[in-house]
Amino acid sequence: MEKATFAGGCFWCMVTPFEELDGIYGIVSGYTGGHVEHPTYEQVKTGTTGHYEAVQITFDPDVFPYEKLLELYWCQIDPTDDGGQFHDRGPQYRTAIFYHNERQKTLAEQSKKQLEESGRFSKPIVTEILPATTFYPAEDYHQNYHKKNPKHYKEDRAASGRDEFIAKHWGNNE
């Protein structure tokens, strides 16, 4: 098993694209990349801890290769937005790929370069590729939020503009 860590704005919206796929054995919402130990949601949402909201995925690379995770990741975000994602604004909602080993780093850099060269976006790709640091699981009420609070999750996601962006820029490549 390996871990993959992706920041793509609100972590609630980053769980569903990866769940229930063969080779994915766990998805945890949490915080990474900051300077405060054991941060709380209340701290992270201020944007002052340096953390990103992120998901950490446990996967079997023989069943679901890291390259496929990267392809799926890019199709969930606006990689040109350095101020957050969709209606979630602030540094805690920036995008980043956190690599856990040199192979992941190389593959992430290659996938970013391919996206830059594709011409899909007219603005620069600003998603960072960073070494994985301590990942702090978010509070229990954030885990599987879409299942625990489906009505609120659907309303928030619909209001965010994420789905419209995905449809416009990625089409059926989700």
Side-chain angles (χ1 to χ4, degrees), residues 144-157:
N144 294 306
Y145 189 85
H146 64 293
K147 293 179 181 175
K148 294 175 184 173
N149 299 285
K151 183 177 185 293
H152 183 257
Y153 168 76
K154 288 176 185 171
E155 290 169 351
D156 185 71
R157 185 167 177 122

Side-chain angles (χ1 to χ4, degrees), residues 21-137:
L21 297 172
D22 289 341
I24 306 294
Y25 293 97
I27 305 170
V28 178
S29 297
Y31 318 111
T32 193
H35 54 79
V36 174
E37 291 186 16
H38 306 286
T40 65
Y41 177 70
E42 294 301 316
Q43 291 173 306
V44 173
K45 78 177 187 178
T46 67
T48 61
T49 68
H51 291 90
Y52 295 71
E53 281 197 12
V55 291
Q56 190 162 82
I57 301 167
T58 302
F59 69 103
D60 180 342
D62 293 330
V63 178
F64 203 97
Y66 188 69
E67 296 90 331
K68 285 182 69 177
L69 286 173
L70 290 167
E71 289 173 18
L72 191 53
Y73 168 74
W74 288 117
C75 296
Q76 307 309 312
I77 65 167
D78 175 356
T80 68
D81 187 348
D82 64 0
Q85 286 291 282
F86 313 106
H87 74 165
D88 294 309
R89 311 310 302 159
Q92 68 275 27
Y93 298 115
R94 292 169 295 156
T95 60
I97 298 168
F98 293 90
Y99 59 87
H100 291 263
N101 55 49
E102 286 303 310
R103 182 175 180 279
Q104 286 187 358
K105 178 182 181 184
T106 299
L107 292 170
E109 288 171 343
Q110 288 172 352
S111 72
K112 181 177 178 179
K113 185 175 188 216
Q114 288 172 345
L115 182 58
E116 288 170 336
E117 292 174 350
S118 74
R120 184 179 293 266
F121 296 98
S122 59
K123 295 189 281 186
I125 305 301
V126 297
T127 300
E128 293 189 85
I129 298 171
L130 303 168
T133 58
T134 304
F135 182 87
Y136 298 99

